[in-house]
Amino acid sequence: MMTTTPSRQRGMSMISWAVVLIVVAILGTAAFRMVPAYMEHNTISTTIRSLLQDSKTALMSPSEIRAGIDKRFTINQVNVIRVDDLVIVKEGGVLTVSTDYEVREPMFYNVSIVMTFKDEFKKDVRQ
């Protein structure tokens, strides 16, 4: 006498596919909303680093440094932070430029993505 075992189903059901597609859509939307903020953060960091690498920076006052960063922000179309939001300190032969800001991007309804950026750039200006 032969006994047969019932065959097992393989693969995902329609409900499983729907859940996977919803998760992928939410994550894709989040990534789509986050990429511009990270690109602008990279532009801000590069702008400040390039100004600090300039040999003339050691002779500049904090207000002149602020004006130089403002020009570079205008050229690079940085809109998420103003130059007045930067903390520029020249103390003990070390120039420090600090940023601390957040970006909020709406996802849907009352759900938003919040990205916080906090950096500190230093340069030894002693000669």
Side-chain angles (χ1 to χ4, degrees):
M1 177 181 259
M2 290 179 68
T3 58
T4 60
T5 59
S7 64
R8 292 184 164 191
Q9 288 185 357
R10 296 176 189 215
M12 294 175 54
S13 68
M14 290 298 283
I15 293 174
S16 299
W17 274 110
V19 169
V20 167
L21 290 175
I22 289 171
V23 169
V24 167
I26 290 172
L27 292 176
T29 302
F32 184 73
R33 302 259 184 195
M34 292 169 66
V35 167
Y38 279 97
M39 289 176 64
E40 192 161 27
H41 173 69
N42 186 39
T43 301
I44 291 168
S45 299
T46 303
T47 299
I48 294 171
R49 279 192 195 103
S50 71
L51 183 76
L52 292 180
Q53 288 175 353
D54 189 359
S55 61
K56 297 176 187 174
T57 305
L59 305 173
M60 296 172 133
S61 69
S63 61
E64 291 172 326
I65 293 169
R66 195 175 299 277
I69 292 173
D70 189 34
K71 287 178 187 175
R72 292 173 188 224
F73 278 3
T74 302
I75 290 168
N76 291 313
Q77 298 179 351
V78 172
N79 299 318
V80 72
I81 187 173
R82 296 184 331 236
V83 74
D84 297 333
D85 297 332
L86 300 175
V87 177
I88 300 174
V89 178
K90 213 175 197 181
E91 186 175 279
V94 177
L95 173 65
T96 306
V97 180
S98 302
T99 63
D100 187 7
Y101 66 99
E102 70 179 29
V103 178
R104 293 180 181 264
E105 285 294 329
M107 283 282 289
F108 47 86
Y109 299 111
N110 62 347
V111 177
S112 295
I113 299 171
V114 179
M115 295 158 281
T116 304
F117 300 100
K118 186 174 186 176
D119 289 311
E120 190 172 87
F121 306 92
K122 292 187 177 199
K123 178 182 181 173
D124 187 359
V125 291
R126 287 177 256 167
Q127 303 202 6

